[in-house]
Amino acid sequence: RDAELIPNRVHRLDVRGGPSPRLPNTVRTTCVTALNHCHSERLISMPTLNSVGGPKVQCQNCSTRCISMKLYCLMLFGLTMTTVSGYRQSAMPFLRRDSHSVRQTYLAWPFKVRNAGPMMTASVQPDSVLQVWREAGMSQRQASTVWAKRPAGRLPTAERQQALVSWMQAHVLDGAEEPARLTFLTLSGAPRLLLRAGRRFPELQRSFEAVRAALGALSPKQLAYSVAHSPSLLLLPPESVHETQRWLRGTAGLSAFELLAVLGAAPELLLARLDDLQAVADLLRERLGIDGGRLRRIVNLAPSTLLTTVDAIEGKLDFLREELGCDEELVAKLVTRNAKLLISPVSVLRERTRWLERALGVSPSETASWLVTQPDFFSVSQRRCVMLLKWLVSKGVSDDEAAMMMREEPQIMTMSMDELDLRASFFFSVINGTPKDLVQAPQALTCDLGRHMMLRHAYCLSHGVAASPAELLLKGNALFCETVAKCTEDELSAFEAEGKHLQFYQGSVL
């Protein structure tokens, strides 16, 4: 029962915690060189393993520095090896031989250990398990990949692996067009599922039922692809799923319908730690005052925001505040109006502002004041902005005039094409405006058509007042009534209340 390493004999070993005063001062290692497959053995002392980056010992046979030093740590019916990648001088647990023990626990060594391959037991034959996966539709390469990623420990039998795969393809991946490929993605992405094929299989079924209920907004096909690309969902305890749901409903104020939609759009939220989610919510509340309804809006439109790290969000807020010169109030408005702003890389945001300077002539010093007039800028794609500039040019204005119109009337970016076409048709066909008039009054494309152009044009015609398109589009009813219509605002309001301007255009076609 004394601490000892026996590299040349087969024993059933049990790793127990606790320091031992009797430790070997040498360990037997193996040089594994990829080029010439040199497998020379030599003894190295413990202090050698204390070097930064792991042991780098020159091989005596091939005269190369070993790319990996494999330490014989556990042996069970053959050699089982783990790769030592570092060592700390602290209390080491001792290895105890126990021929009566039927349990093997993995290494609890203080130094950092990377698993170089799980233990193979006599009860699980690789060929039988590989055959199960081949029959499920995997290729030989895919099956070998899953086998290479198998977790440490004793795998359930091939029959139970067959039951696991059959259950996955019949229930979890039901509706998928490529069940074999998705089975490979699931098992290779979460190899620990192989251990659930045994006595913990009912636990796996309960976990899937909880996940399927949480992702109820997804179709069977969408659910299959979501699980295949995030297979760790199947390893979540049902209590963890329910706890995340309660947090989203409580902190973000989501309704039951919104909760299904949010989790359907970002299933990875179920895998996130609640502490990380709470840290993001606290940052938005403390830095920007975003909580309640505004936080609910962000989570509904861009649920991946909660998956962003605090450092990444801080970087975007610093960009808006320091590079663009936005104050805290404007930053909060931009984040609320552009829900995906916090999940966009800073490089993308910086390129958008550079395009603003190149295409519209908005200088960096004017960017913040311009964003006040159009806080939805970052939610409008650059492709749409370019398309709108081309649309303005098609109405007879030059490139520079189109850029000036969009710079002075940025609401054009968020108008639908149907609304823009309707206003342009009324401007050119009814009030006989010209492209030059449109350049002078770009608000014709964004104003309330019924309460501005139609009302004022009908009032002037009914009272014999001649008005140019630019005069009809003066901003403010008080200015229009005083300088153009020569009436009071009450008279214009009474004309509108009677609906005479709507009767005036009844039956007309734009």
Side-chain angles (χ1 to χ4, degrees):
R1 294 181 179 274
D2 293 334
E4 60 183 8
L5 292 174
I6 307 178
N8 297 321
R9 297 178 59 187
V10 176
H11 287 277
R12 190 182 295 272
L13 299 179
D14 193 9
V15 180
R16 306 292 178 88
S20 174
R22 302 183 58 184
L23 294 174
N25 58 2
T26 60
V27 293
R28 187 175 299 278
T29 62
T30 300
C31 169
V32 181
T33 304
L35 298 178
N36 51 19
H37 301 285
C38 174
H39 294 280
S40 62
E41 292 188 355
R42 60 174 297 180
L43 294 178
I44 60 175
S45 62
M46 276 293 183
T48 306
L49 295 178
N50 198 25
S51 60
V52 179
K56 299 293 182 181
V57 182
Q58 184 172 354
C59 180
Q60 295 177 344
N61 287 354
C62 59
S63 299
T64 60
R65 299 186 69 81
C66 302
I67 60 174
S68 65
M69 305 300 294
K70 291 183 179 294
L71 171 65
Y72 296 119
C73 294
L74 296 179
M75 298 182 185
L76 179 63
F77 303 113
L79 295 180
T80 302
M81 310 167 81
T82 54
T83 302
V84 178
S85 60
Y87 172 79
R88 298 199 313 264
Q89 296 241 354
S90 60
M92 295 177 60
F94 60 90
L95 295 179
R96 189 176 102 175
R97 275 187 303 164
D98 188 356
S99 59
H100 300 288
S101 174
V102 294
R103 297 180 301 105
Q104 283 73 40
T105 59
Y106 249 105
L107 291 177
W109 295 78
F111 52 73
K112 190 177 179 182
V113 177
R114 181 175 66 252
N115 187 20
M119 293 188 300
M120 290 176 51
T121 64
S123 60
V124 180
Q125 298 298 328
D127 293 341
S128 61
V129 178
L130 291 175
Q131 182 63 28
V132 168
W133 296 333
R134 291 296 306 277
E135 292 176 356
M138 294 188 194
S139 64
Q140 181 64 38
R141 181 176 182 179
Q142 291 175 335
S144 300
T145 300
V146 175
W147 175 257
K149 292 183 177 182
R150 68 195 185 278
R154 183 171 181 171
L155 295 180
T157 62
E159 291 76 11
R160 299 201 174 189
Q161 299 296 336
Q162 174 67 46
L164 171 66
V165 172
S166 300
W167 173 78
M168 286 177 52
Q169 294 187 347
H171 297 86
V172 181
L173 306 178
D174 182 30
E177 298 178 355
E178 301 173 299
R181 186 178 71 87
L182 296 187
T183 302
F184 165 71
L185 292 177
T186 304
L187 293 180
S188 61
R192 286 188 298 163
L193 289 171
L194 300 176
L195 296 176
R196 300 290 179 93
R199 290 178 296 178
R200 302 184 67 183
F201 184 67
E203 179 182 340
L204 176 62
Q205 292 176 313
R206 289 192 296 271
S207 298
F208 173 66
E209 292 299 330
V211 170
R212 181 165 60 180
L215 304 181
L218 301 181
S219 65
K221 181 178 179 180
Q222 292 172 329
L223 178 62
Y225 280 94
S226 296
V227 172
H229 289 88
S230 299
S232 296
L233 291 170
L234 297 177
L235 299 173
L236 289 174
E239 296 77 13
S240 175
V241 176
H242 299 154
E243 190 175 3
T244 302
Q245 290 177 305
R246 286 192 296 269
W247 185 90
L248 289 172
R249 297 195 65 173
T251 304
L254 302 180
S255 65
F257 177 79
E258 290 172 336
L259 180 62
L260 291 176
V262 166
L263 291 177
E268 296 82 5
L269 285 172
L270 296 175
L271 298 172
R273 296 174 60 248
L274 290 185
D275 291 342
D276 296 337
L277 299 179
Q278 188 63 49
V280 174
D282 292 341
L283 174 64
L284 295 178
R285 184 183 65 256
E286 296 171 1
R287 286 284 304 274
L288 304 177
I290 295 178
D291 57 1
R294 293 197 291 178
L295 178 61
R296 180 179 181 179
R297 169 186 167 83
I298 292 175
V299 174
N300 271 301
L301 297 180
S304 298
T305 301
L306 295 175
L307 298 173
T308 310
T309 62
V310 172
D311 292 338
I313 294 179
E314 290 279 7
K316 297 176 179 64
L317 297 182
D318 292 340
F319 165 77
L320 295 174
R321 186 177 59 254
E322 298 175 4
E323 294 193 29
L324 300 187
C326 302
D327 55 24
E328 292 296 334
E329 182 180 357
L330 179 57
V331 171
K333 188 175 183 179
L334 291 175
V335 171
T336 305
R337 299 287 291 270
N338 307 271
K340 296 184 179 181
L341 189 147
L342 294 180
I343 60 177
S344 301
V346 174
S347 59
V348 174
L349 301 178
R350 186 177 290 114
E351 178 58 29
R352 291 300 311 278
T353 57
R354 291 174 180 171
W355 178 89
L356 196 62
E357 181 180 3
R358 293 193 309 267
L360 304 187
V362 180
S363 63
S365 60
E366 300 172 337
T367 301
S369 58
W370 187 86
L371 288 173
V372 172
T373 61
Q374 180 49 287
D376 297 323
F377 169 68
F378 290 108
S379 65
V380 182
S381 67
Q382 183 172 321
R383 180 179 179 182
R384 173 174 169 78
C385 293
V386 173
M387 182 267 293
L388 288 173
L389 289 174
K390 293 181 179 179
W391 180 85
L392 290 173
V393 172
S394 69
K395 300 304 177 182
V397 302
S398 65
D399 292 339
D400 293 339
E401 291 173 336
M404 184 194 68
M405 291 174 62
M406 190 173 291
R407 182 178 64 250
E408 295 181 356
E409 198 66 27
Q411 285 75 21
I412 294 176
M413 293 182 178
T414 54
M415 299 288 290
S416 68
M417 292 308 302
D418 291 339
E419 293 175 325
L420 292 174
D421 288 334
L422 179 62
R423 286 161 175 74
S425 178
F426 186 89
F427 183 83
F428 290 118
S429 303
V430 178
I431 66 177
N432 298 321
T434 64
K436 184 178 180 180
D437 295 329
L438 186 61
V439 173
Q440 295 176 351
Q443 64 269 24
L445 300 175
T446 60
C447 68
D448 189 330
L449 182 61
R451 301 193 62 184
H452 286 80
M453 280 197 293
M454 293 178 66
L455 173 62
R456 295 176 181 183
H457 183 247
Y459 185 87
C460 291
L461 289 180
S462 62
H463 290 78
V465 178
S468 66
E471 291 175 331
L472 292 175
L473 291 166
L474 288 175
K475 293 186 177 180
N477 285 336
L479 182 62
F480 169 77
C481 292
E482 180 181 355
T483 60
V484 179
K486 306 300 181 181
C487 66
T488 64
E489 290 188 60
D490 293 337
E491 292 175 340
L492 182 63
S493 298
F495 183 82
E496 179 185 6
E498 294 175 3
K500 293 181 178 180
H501 63 299
L502 299 178
Q503 298 173 9
F504 190 84
Y505 296 107
Q506 188 173 3
S508 61
V509 178
L510 300 181

